[in-house]
Amino acid sequence: MFTIDDLADRLDSYLPRHEIQQVKRAFYYAEQAHDGQRRRSGEPYVTHPLAVANILANMHMDHESLMAAMLHDVIEDTGISKAALMEQFGESVAVLVDGVSKLTQITFEDKAVAQAENFQKMVLAMSQDIRVIIVKLADRLHNMRTLGALRPDKKRRIARETLEIYARIAGRLGINTIRVELEDLSFQAIYPMRAERIKHAVSKARGHRRSAIQQIQRALQKCLDEEELPGTVSGRQKHLLSIYRKMRDQQKPFAEIMDVFGFRITTDSVDSCYRILGAVHNLYKPVPGRFKDYIAIPKANGYQSLHTTLFGVGGMPIEVQIRTREMEAMAENGIAAHWLYKAGQTERPIAAGSHARAREWVRGLLEMQRRAGDSLEFIEHVKNDLFPDDVYIFTPRGDIMELPQGATVIDFAYSVHTDIGNSCIACRIDRHLAPLSTRLESGQTVEIITAPGAKPSTHWLSFVITAKARSAIRHALKHQKQLESVTLGRRLLDKALADFDTSLDAFPPGHLRPLLEEFGYKREDELLESIGLGTRLGYGVARRLVDMLPGHHLDTVSHSNDPVVISGAEGMVINFARCCHPLPGDSVIGHLSMGKGIVVHRADCRNLAELRDEPEKLVALQWSPNIQGDFPVGLRIEMESRRGLVAEIASLVTDAGANIERIGIEERDARLSIINLILAVRDRVHLARIIKRMRNLHNVGRISRVRN
């Protein structure tokens, strides 16, 4: 069994003696705190924190991280408080332990909510000290190594959570050794039979391929020696989940995936990396389009390397990675290399850059967390953010922005700054105007055009892919809807109060407070918002408000019939019914729909018949004389079939200043067709002008506006 003395011997290679003594003291403290506790396997509980510390020792983490690993379950599983740990081991260690611990034992109905809440707490702790997540990853890795004692269903649940969150975080922070092991252990827990078969097939294939691998490795090493280039060639192993994903996603058989030979060349400097690249390209022909330079443009997690694919002997593909030894340490340990270099007093820019990128990522997580509606929405954003392939986009000043594959102009705007995304109205890609939904490609230069007062659109959510853009748009729309709901709620309440010959402004300050307490609201805006969204009726609130006035009698109701004026600029709280497509100029009536605000119908809409049973939810409406905007309307056109008629109609509509939103054609018989159009027009007069022009077309019969 691995002991604290074994760990101390290992730490002796990179930590000073007094720091090793502190780690040992933390172990003995944890051993005493967990006395009598055992794991599911039957082992003493303290073997778990010791194993976690050993994983961190392999990564050369600092002594405070190792102490936190020893103590990480003390707060949760024993009666010891954070204050007691702070007194014993200092504030830094106590904060780390507090961050890794699941701080409160909240009971949730849903396991997913519980895990999402725990992850949110971890993000907050990460913002104080990024080492929290490294300790947490080591904790999760040892738990995955010892899953054997759990029930199969619990194994699968923990494995899926590990695969979706923790393995991706390890990848995002560049800790490749932990990522690969977490992925393989999760794969084996979720699909034990598939994992076993692939493992057996890999073992068998390696035996057959050994001579070919050795031959290529010798050829590459000989090439470096002849060119007098410093470098060591080693074989690269594919891990189980990577093989399985390629078989599943690329629909390739196992033999085809294993036919690709992977090698890694480590050298002493960046200059040597590029010279070695030239040498191997002279030895074997490169495959066009399969070269990637992650040295000039590192990945978001700090990973740097040259990747190239070559045609080997007999056309067999050879994948080669070329990197320096420092880049190799970064590729294996990621952000943990920051502490490795720090401990050795050889802080290097590559490690510092990784640490800065990690902090930037955590800041982005905190911003998402503030904007997310709940913990589950937040964790969905995080899953989407971890970790797709990247494209590299240039700003007009030449700065490089890194975005996931498939990102659009809107994603780019929000990655620059949230305010730029919120006020974005247009863009130029390589100096040419382009739609905001355009998917970006590496190497493009993107310029965002903004306008003061511009607002995000709901349809942006249908094409953005980054978590930051999605959460920022939802937050802005929610805030926008809230403001619009408060404004509409005030108008509806004032209209209801007019029936009692008063208005909201007539009430003295503080008079609403008893009513807010009665309805369970903290602020006046919350009450007005609920009225604007239709969750509470303005007339009922007005009646209750007037009832509270001393000396006011409810029998003095005047029933004001002044309609609410709609201008089309109310935003998301005034919605136009799709069943009857009301236009400015139509006689209209509003229906208060819960959560939507006012839904505007034509007064003769058949759907209003069932709504008239609730007259308190109907609102008299009137179009503003200055209304602006385009409104959808349905037309049905009967015509004789002939070539080019649809094109003529489309041209006529465009010339009349309208747009076709949707078009459909029904064949009535061999001679007669029916065209169903959805047009965007300004008002009834505009529609009448378009219909008049259509009647002048040859072979057009009856034209009617669609009603319900």
Side-chain angles (χ1 to χ4, degrees):
M1 184 187 287
F2 189 79
T3 67
I4 183 63
D5 292 326
D6 296 329
L7 178 66
D9 290 341
R10 179 167 292 175
L11 297 179
D12 199 41
S13 64
Y14 76 97
L15 285 182
R17 176 57 54 186
H18 71 279
E19 290 183 354
I20 296 173
Q21 287 302 323
Q22 287 179 271
V23 174
K24 291 176 78 170
R25 190 164 71 89
F27 168 77
Y28 293 126
Y29 189 92
E31 186 178 42
Q32 190 174 352
H34 291 295
D35 186 37
Q37 295 179 353
R38 293 194 171 269
R39 305 199 82 211
R40 288 281 177 89
S41 60
E43 296 175 303
Y45 193 88
V46 77
T47 58
H48 168 64
L50 182 61
V52 174
N54 187 44
I55 292 168
L56 296 176
N58 291 337
M59 299 160 65
H60 284 204
M61 287 299 293
D62 65 314
H63 74 290
E64 289 181 342
S65 302
L66 294 162
M67 292 165 72
M70 295 294 189
L71 301 163
H72 75 272
D73 280 331
V74 163
I75 292 177
E76 184 185 3
D77 294 340
T78 73
I80 295 168
S81 65
K82 178 184 174 183
L85 288 181
M86 194 179 299
E87 189 178 335
Q88 281 286 330
F89 301 103
E91 184 178 359
S92 185
V93 173
V95 167
L96 282 174
V97 173
D98 194 37
V100 179
S101 299
K102 300 175 186 68
L103 298 176
T104 51
Q105 298 295 330
I106 306 170
T107 304
F108 293 94
E109 292 178 16
D110 187 351
K111 274 280 183 191
V113 176
Q115 292 303 328
E117 290 279 349
N118 283 332
F119 185 73
Q120 280 194 306
K121 285 184 279 184
M122 192 168 63
V123 169
L124 287 171
M126 283 161 58
S127 66
Q128 296 175 18
D129 195 327
I130 201 76
R131 290 174 294 179
V132 166
I133 191 60
I134 301 176
V135 178
K136 185 68 182 175
L137 287 172
D139 172 43
R140 179 52 64 116
L141 178 57
H142 185 251
N143 284 334
M144 288 301 297
R145 286 175 179 174
T146 53
L147 272 184
L150 302 178
R151 295 192 318 267
D153 61 320
K154 196 169 184 182
K155 277 187 196 178
R156 285 191 294 272
R157 181 181 62 76
I158 293 172
R160 283 200 175 91
E161 178 188 290
T162 301
L163 204 55
E164 289 180 1
I165 298 293
Y166 293 98
R168 295 190 191 188
I169 290 174
R172 190 65 177 75
L173 298 178
I175 311 173
N176 197 50
T177 48
I178 288 184
R179 177 188 66 83
V180 168
E181 192 174 350
L182 285 177
E183 286 183 348
D184 279 353
L185 290 170
S186 299
F187 177 49
Q188 290 171 60
I190 298 169
Y191 301 116
M193 290 182 66
R194 296 180 200 185
E196 193 57 41
R197 293 180 108 177
I198 292 175
K199 194 187 293 184
H200 178 71
V202 167
S203 178
K204 192 175 176 182
R206 279 181 188 147
H208 296 321
R209 289 156 30 106
R210 189 170 289 120
S211 60
I213 291 172
Q214 289 173 350
Q215 184 182 344
I216 298 168
Q217 191 168 334
R218 281 196 296 269
L220 288 169
Q221 191 66 58
K222 184 181 177 185
C223 172
L224 299 186
D225 294 342
E226 287 176 353
E227 296 288 336
E228 297 183 354
L229 293 170
T232 306
V233 182
S234 58
R236 197 163 46 84
Q237 304 286 353
K238 286 187 174 66
H239 65 289
L240 300 182
L241 185 61
S242 169
I243 294 169
Y244 173 71
R245 279 177 173 162
K246 284 183 179 176
M247 290 172 66
R248 183 193 62 192
D249 299 341
Q250 299 175 16
Q251 298 290 301
K252 288 183 177 180
F254 176 80
E256 197 173 320
I257 290 167
M258 291 304 288
D259 276 348
V260 180
F261 293 82
F263 295 91
R264 182 171 297 146
I265 302 174
T266 51
T267 185
D268 58 357
S269 67
V270 171
D271 179 61
S272 296
C273 289
Y274 288 101
R275 289 168 62 204
I276 289 170
L277 177 71
V280 298
H281 278 186
N282 279 332
L283 179 64
Y284 298 118
K285 285 187 177 179
V287 177
R290 294 295 301 275
F291 167 66
K292 289 184 179 176
D293 188 344
Y294 293 119
I295 293 179
I297 305 177
K299 287 188 176 183
N301 60 7
Y303 176 88
Q304 288 187 294
S305 184
L306 299 177
H307 289 196
T308 187
T309 303
L310 313 167
F311 288 114
V313 179
M316 70 172 72
I318 303 170
E319 293 177 349
V320 180
Q321 298 174 349
I322 306 166
R323 59 182 72 150
T324 66
R325 292 179 188 90
E326 288 83 0
M327 291 172 192
E328 175 75 3
M330 273 300 305
E332 294 305 306
N333 295 310
I335 189 175
H338 175 81
W339 282 273
L340 186 153
Y341 292 138
K342 202 169 181 181
Q345 299 303 311
T346 55
E347 178 91 23
R348 294 186 172 109
I350 183 171
S354 172
H355 194 247
R357 275 186 287 268
R359 288 211 165 278
E360 186 62 36
W361 178 63
V362 172
R363 273 198 294 274
L365 287 182
L366 283 173
E367 189 177 339
M368 270 188 263
Q369 188 175 26
R370 282 194 294 271
R371 292 193 166 135
D374 55 38
S375 54
L376 284 177
E377 183 185 328
F378 168 64
I379 209 136
E380 276 309 308
H381 289 329
V382 174
K383 283 181 188 177
N384 292 335
D385 197 44
L386 301 168
F387 179 61
D389 293 327
D390 298 318
V391 293
Y392 298 93
I393 309 301
F394 291 91
T395 68
R397 294 190 303 180
D399 298 329
I400 297 173
M401 304 294 292
E402 191 171 25
L403 292 167
Q405 193 78 39
T408 64
V409 172
I410 295 295
D411 292 302
F412 172 81
Y414 277 103
S415 72
V416 175
H417 198 279
T418 302
D419 290 343
I420 290 176
N422 286 339
S423 57
C424 171
I425 58 165
C427 77
R428 290 189 183 90
I429 299 177
D430 295 332
R431 299 186 180 179
H432 298 290
L433 285 170
L436 295 176
S437 58
T438 304
R439 295 198 180 283
L440 300 174
E441 298 175 6
S442 282
Q444 290 178 325
T445 300
V446 179
E447 179 188 354
I448 300 297
I449 301 167
T450 61
K455 297 174 183 175
S457 170
T458 50
H459 84 275
W460 288 1
L461 290 170
S462 65
F463 57 77
V464 297
I465 68 164
T466 58
K468 181 177 182 181
R470 189 172 296 279
S471 64
I473 292 166
R474 281 182 175 160
H475 177 74
L477 291 174
K478 185 178 177 183
H479 181 64
Q480 183 183 332
K481 187 174 183 179
Q482 188 178 18
L483 291 176
E484 291 165 355
S485 302
V486 170
T487 304
L488 178 62
R490 184 178 293 276
R491 290 173 66 189
L492 291 174
L493 184 56
D494 264 332
K495 182 182 182 302
L497 286 169
D499 290 351
F500 302 98
D501 295 326
T502 184
S503 69
L504 197 57
D505 292 335
F507 289 90
H511 186 76
L512 283 178
R513 191 168 294 116
L515 190 65
L516 296 178
E517 290 175 5
E518 181 181 323
F519 290 151
Y521 297 113
K522 294 180 180 177
R523 296 179 295 109
E524 181 182 325
D525 280 359
E526 291 179 15
L527 174 62
L528 296 176
E529 184 185 354
S530 71
I531 296 171
L533 288 173
T535 53
R536 192 171 290 279
L537 295 176
Y539 184 81
V541 175
R543 188 180 179 87
R544 188 75 192 89
L545 196 57
V546 172
D547 193 28
M548 296 169 69
L549 280 175
H552 202 290
H553 300 291
L554 289 174
D555 54 1
T556 60
V557 179
S558 65
H559 293 294
S560 164
N561 290 316
D562 292 341
V564 174
V565 178
I566 49 175
S567 65
E570 289 85 359
M572 291 178 282
V573 289
I574 296 283
N575 298 278
F576 297 94
R578 294 182 181 179
C579 54
C580 56
H581 291 307
L583 291 178
D586 288 334
S587 178
V588 289
I589 194 164
H591 172 250
L592 273 169
S593 178
M594 189 173 292
K596 290 183 179 178
I598 294 179
V599 180
V600 182
H601 291 263
R602 290 170 62 179
D604 59 356
C605 177
R606 288 201 294 268
N607 287 344
L608 280 177
E610 58 193 58
L611 301 175
R612 292 187 191 276
D613 295 336
E614 300 176 294
E616 70 278 2
K617 288 191 175 182
L618 296 178
V619 182
L621 298 178
Q622 178 182 312
W623 297 101
S624 165
N626 302 318
I627 192 160
Q628 294 180 337
D630 291 330
F631 301 84
V633 63
L635 284 186
R636 178 185 170 92
I637 307 169
E638 296 179 10
M639 65 177 206
E640 288 183 24
S641 301
R642 68 175 171 84
R643 189 185 298 273
L645 188 55
V646 173
E648 283 185 44
I649 290 174
S651 177
L652 181 150
V653 169
T654 304
D655 290 344
N659 289 315
I660 297 177
E661 292 191 350
R662 194 164 67 242
I663 186 167
I665 302 176
E666 299 174 23
E667 294 285 344
R668 173 65 61 85
D669 53 41
R671 191 180 63 84
L672 191 65
S673 295
I674 294 173
I675 295 181
N676 293 304
L677 288 175
I678 299 291
L679 302 180
V681 299
R682 291 188 294 278
D683 50 33
R684 276 173 63 106
V685 175
H686 189 196
L687 177 64
R689 205 160 52 236
I690 292 169
I691 292 174
K692 186 177 179 181
R693 288 193 184 189
M694 285 182 177
R695 293 192 196 281
N696 293 329
L697 290 175
H698 184 58
N699 288 15
V700 170
R702 188 178 173 205
I703 302 175
S704 57
R705 183 174 168 187
V706 177
R707 298 171 187 269
N708 294 81

